[in-house]
Amino acid sequence: MKQKISIIGSGFASLAASCYLAKEGYDITIYEKNAEIGGRARQLKRDGFTFDIGPTWYWMPDVFERFFADFGKKPEDFYTLIKLDPAYRVYFQKGHFISIEDSLEKIYAAFEKEEPGSSKPLKKFIKEAQENYDIAIKDVVYRPGVSPLELVTPQTAARIGQFFSTISKKVRKEFSNENLIKILEFPVLFLGAKPTNTPSFYSFMNYADFGLGTWHPKGGMYEVIRGIQSLAESLGVKIKTNCNVSKIKVENGTAKGLYVNDEFIASDIVLSGADYHHSEQLLPQEHRQYSEKYWESRTFAPSSLLFYVGFDKKLKDTVHHSLFFDTDFDVHAQNIYDAPKWPENPLFYASFPSVTDDNVAPKGNEAGIFLIPLAPDIEDTPELRNKYFEKIITRFENITNQSVKNNIIFKESFCVNDFKEAYNSYKGNAYGLANTLLQTAFLRPKLKSKKVKNLFFAGQLTVPGPGVPPSLISGKLTAGLITKNKI
């Protein structure tokens, strides 16, 4: 008889784990509290517009290829990818921006135009970043964080100094132009920490950015979720929505199942891809591995204030992804990590997927997504949301030299309170646990419970870290531990 595994949540990590476990012959059921699957990668549809609620960047295409290849498939079996050119645009002030285009040669030329001579150190920087990428993404991140020895390889030993320096130091040693520095420090923000707290080994994110490029799945990132759902169901995985898990039952130190909508579901193994802190709250106190003091002491990635906006016209001179770095990055970072408060002049991100994709907005209209990074657990009110939308839309109009406020059909927002309600997110964080030196690999919360037999975890608060590709990898790692520890 097949062993039954119950999985909590249906985000990337849970779906990936379900595929690997079903392939190994387990009887898998996923329980999702919301009405639709995808976790933080859900979708919003309104008035003919389609928005990705969560992730909008498709980076590290090789990780997705490796995932589907494990099942004899390819991404194109499930969705169509478009390489963006430009990948994104960075605005520094009105009339001054740098476009990051779709090849290294074009990027070298853009740097050279901004600061003559800068392409030479950039080539050296990217060469090292690619070497780090080959070590990290092709090897180290596929280790389950069980032992510190996992990090010790001839390649990592030769780069030990990079674990004790930072991206910020590395970049500022090679570059003096503040605009170029901001561009090179940007990719590590996907890891959820400040460049001044992120080991320089993580420069591999710069190769992911410049070397591998930025892609868009036609229809949006939710098409990737649908693709993995299709794969999972073809392997026999059952997915149930509107199923709230209120408790993990433990007997004699062993997980015995879940209470789903107050009904007990017996299971041989329990895997939670939901928020790690919340998952442990489903256990009796004595079976939790990590105390409230532990969670309070962690460095969390930011939360976000997001707006999903329908415009009744095509916007002028916009690209798919844009970063607005026209204010002080360091001050905004301090408002997130050091002295949490609403930033007076926030940096923000804007995405217009309808520039690339006709499927996401009615003809002649534009779909816009705006994001402001915020400190977790910060005050969240409708008044604050409206105040900050007015701030960024005014700056957007000024910097891009166009009027758009009167062309807004609707706007919907998503912020700290929504992350808590929709995803049981600890302090309403958006991206999980930051990848700082002391929160890397074996120093992150464990994939396998130390206190409860047959209880496992996956997702961005555990190994290897935040982001969509790491979440896919997390699901694979947890599935591997379960298979290895067959009962």
Side-chain angles (χ1 to χ4, degrees), residues 447-479:
L447 295 169
K448 185 177 187 293
S449 175
K450 297 176 288 187
K451 289 194 172 184
V452 179
K453 187 179 179 183
N454 299 340
L455 175 60
F456 296 82
F457 303 87
Q460 57 187 6
L461 269 74
T462 182
V463 179
V468 174
S471 291
L472 283 179
I473 295 168
S474 183
K476 179 175 184 175
L477 294 175
T478 304

Side-chain angles (χ1 to χ4, degrees), residues 112 117-125:
E112 195 67 26
S118 62
S119 63
K120 185 175 179 181
L122 180 60
K123 288 175 183 178
K124 177 185 171 188
F125 181 82

Side-chain angles (χ1 to χ4, degrees), residues 359-384:
N359 296 326
V360 301
K363 188 175 180 180
N365 293 0
E366 204 86 86
I369 301 169
F370 297 83
L371 181 152
I372 302 173
L374 295 173
D377 218 22
I378 202 166
E379 181 187 11
D380 173 15
T381 66
E383 292 76 21
L384 280 166

Side-chain angles (χ1 to χ4, degrees), residues 418-437:
D418 301 302
F419 281 101
K420 291 177 180 178
E421 191 280 327
Y423 313 127
N424 296 308
S425 171
Y426 180 71
K427 293 189 174 182
N429 79 82
Y431 306 108
L433 205 57
N435 254 346
T436 61
L437 177 61

Side-chain angles (χ1 to χ4, degrees), residues 95-163:
H96 185 196
F97 60 81
I98 297 176
S99 290
I100 301 302
E101 297 183 71
D102 65 345
S103 74
L104 281 169
E105 289 307 315
K106 292 177 184 176
I107 295 167
Y108 295 147
F111 269 56
E112 195 67 26
K113 182 179 178 182
E114 180 71 13
E115 183 180 26
S118 62
S119 63
K120 185 175 179 181
L122 180 60
K123 288 175 183 178
K124 177 185 171 188
F125 181 82
I126 292 299
K127 181 177 183 295
E128 184 177 276
Q130 182 175 4
E131 291 168 354
N132 287 352
Y133 189 91
D134 289 341
I135 294 166
I137 304 303
K138 294 180 180 178
D139 182 16
V140 174
V141 298
Y142 283 91
R143 301 183 182 199
V146 173
S147 164
L149 295 178
E150 292 173 3
L151 290 178
V152 182
T153 69
Q155 292 82 6
T156 56
R159 289 164 170 76
I160 190 68
Q162 294 186 37
F163 288 91

Side-chain angles (χ1 to χ4, degrees), residues 35-177:
E36 61 282 313
I37 68 163
R40 294 167 199 244
R42 294 184 302 155
Q43 194 176 61
L44 168 67
K45 285 181 175 283
R46 178 172 169 179
D47 299 346
F49 292 83
T50 300
F51 304 90
D52 285 313
I53 291 179
T56 56
W57 295 76
Y58 191 103
W59 271 12
M60 303 184 187
D62 52 321
V63 174
F64 296 87
E65 290 165 9
R66 185 167 173 176
F67 167 75
F68 285 111
D70 286 339
F71 304 92
K73 301 289 185 180
K74 298 176 181 178
E76 53 264 37
D77 293 331
F78 301 97
Y79 51 88
T80 300
L81 282 176
I82 303 164
K83 190 173 188 182
L84 300 183
D85 184 23
Y88 55 93
R89 180 180 288 176
V90 186
Y91 289 91
F92 299 103
Q93 61 196 53
K94 187 172 184 176
H96 185 196
F97 60 81
I98 297 176
S99 290
I100 301 302
E101 297 183 71
D102 65 345
S103 74
L104 281 169
E105 289 307 315
K106 292 177 184 176
I107 295 167
Y108 295 147
F111 269 56
E112 195 67 26
K113 182 179 178 182
E114 180 71 13
E115 183 180 26
S118 62
S119 63
K120 185 175 179 181
L122 180 60
K123 288 175 183 178
K124 177 185 171 188
F125 181 82
I126 292 299
K127 181 177 183 295
E128 184 177 276
Q130 182 175 4
E131 291 168 354
N132 287 352
Y133 189 91
D134 289 341
I135 294 166
I137 304 303
K138 294 180 180 178
D139 182 16
V140 174
V141 298
Y142 283 91
R143 301 183 182 199
V146 173
S147 164
L149 295 178
E150 292 173 3
L151 290 178
V152 182
T153 69
Q155 292 82 6
T156 56
R159 289 164 170 76
I160 190 68
Q162 294 186 37
F163 288 91
F164 296 96
S165 183
T166 68
I167 282 289
S168 188
K169 286 180 182 177
K170 174 75 175 173
V171 169
R172 290 171 187 275
K173 182 180 177 182
E174 301 289 346
F175 301 88
S176 58
N177 182 286

